[in-house]
Amino acid sequence: MKILVSGKIKGIVLKSNNPINFLGTVDKKTGIISDKNHELFGKSIKDVILVFPSGVGSSVGAYTIYSIKSNDTAPLAMICTKADLTVATGCALANIPLVIISENEFSLIKNGQTISFDTRTDEFIINW
């Protein structure tokens, strides 16, 4: 696990196997995935641990991440396999914990699982 934005979090996983374009996919006011072509269409990212491979698209997506935090519709934390600039910057600005995990670890995480992590102690627990 590589820590990009630290924090202590416990929550339920919402996982996507597809990258997320925060600018074009997430409604800033509601935190709901609004792209009909995305596998998480219609789901809210509010108060979950959002697990996805990486972000894609415009760097303005970092502003979207900041906006969803300001609108109280942000995830508790994000877990990715690749540290792209948009997600890293957005999480840093919004103070949303962000960790990078391996492809193997990513494959083990399932929707609905409870995950807790504390970046100060490097504790990472998945409740199966």
Side-chain angles (χ1 to χ4, degrees):
M1 175 173 73
K2 180 192 279 186
I3 301 160
L4 295 184
V5 180
S6 56
K8 181 178 181 181
I9 298 298
K10 180 177 183 179
I12 303 295
V13 167
L14 178 64
K15 182 179 180 182
S16 172
N17 290 307
N18 297 315
I20 296 176
N21 177 344
F22 283 88
L23 179 61
T25 302
V26 180
D27 183 292
K28 292 184 290 205
K29 293 181 181 173
T30 65
I32 293 174
I33 303 293
S34 58
D35 180 351
K36 293 179 182 176
N37 296 316
H38 198 276
E39 70 180 294
L40 296 181
F41 173 68
K43 297 194 183 296
S44 173
I45 63 171
K46 178 182 173 152
D47 296 334
V48 299
I49 296 179
L50 185 60
V51 179
F52 59 107
S54 66
V56 292
S58 168
S59 61
V60 179
Y63 174 73
T64 301
I65 294 171
Y66 180 79
S67 293
I68 59 176
K69 179 70 172 195
S70 298
N71 291 326
D72 196 31
T73 58
L76 299 171
M78 295 189 202
I79 299 175
C80 302
T81 59
K82 181 181 175 194
D84 67 279
L85 184 60
T86 299
V87 173
T89 303
C91 286
L93 288 170
N95 197 30
I96 298 171
L98 172 62
V99 296
I100 305 303
I101 59 173
S102 71
E103 294 279 344
N104 185 50
E105 291 167 316
F106 181 82
S107 69
L108 296 174
I109 297 174
K110 307 290 183 226
N111 267 315
Q113 286 178 313
T114 300
I115 290 182
S116 61
F117 65 83
D118 186 345
T119 58
R120 294 169 294 180
T121 62
D122 285 338
E123 180 180 277
F124 189 81
I125 299 170
I126 299 173
N127 296 321
W128 305 104

